[in-house]
């Protein structure tokens, strides 16, 4: 399908393939957006005050450190203990 529905407090990752029960940084999708357009639609009806519906790109495929989250997650703020490049596309709620 073409719909991604993350739950509150959850993240959704894009991957080329998936091995159940394990994380492998080489399976995460590395988008080549050079010269391309990224188009998406967000349903903000469930994101009230205090909620942050965020869409951002990070370089998890290039991160070889499993991080404290054990899934190779990284971002500009080192949320799971590993810093990497981050491009924020959207941070929003209804208000």
């Amino acid at each position: 399908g073409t719909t991604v529905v993350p739950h509150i407090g959850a993240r959704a990752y894009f991957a080329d393939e998936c091995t159940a029960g394990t994380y492998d940084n080489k399976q995460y999708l590395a988008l080549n957006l050079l010269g391309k357009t990224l188009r998406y639609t967000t349903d903000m009806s469930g994101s009230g005050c205090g909620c942050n519906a965020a869409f951002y790109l990070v370089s998890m495929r290039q991160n070889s450190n499993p991080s404290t989250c054990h899934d190779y997650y990284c971002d500009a703020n080192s949320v799971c203990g590993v810093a990497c490049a981050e491009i924020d596309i959207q941070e929003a709620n209804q208000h």
Side-chain angles (χ1 to χ4, degrees):
T2 59
T3 303
V4 175
V5 183
H7 298 282
I8 298 217
R11 297 184 185 114
Y13 302 144
F14 294 102
D16 290 321
E17 59 184 293
C18 181
T19 305
T22 186
Y23 291 101
D24 180 349
N25 66 311
K26 296 303 178 192
Q27 292 181 341
Y28 290 118
L29 184 64
L31 296 173
N32 181 359
L33 297 174
L34 186 62
K36 298 185 174 89
T37 300
L38 175 67
R39 186 176 303 189
Y40 68 98
T41 302
T42 306
D43 177 0
M44 300 299 290
S45 62
S47 58
C49 189
C51 181
N52 180 23
F55 176 36
Y56 53 95
L57 306 174
V58 295
S59 50
M60 290 173 63
R61 185 179 184 105
Q62 292 80 15
N63 176 25
S64 60
N65 184 337
S67 77
T68 58
C69 295
H70 309 289
D71 59 2
Y72 295 89
Y73 180 78
C74 61
D75 63 16
N77 293 313
S78 301
V79 169
C80 291
V82 179
C84 68
E86 175 180 333
I87 299 172
D88 292 334
I89 306 293
Q90 169 190 305
E91 291 196 28
N93 62 31
Q94 289 180 354
H95 305 284

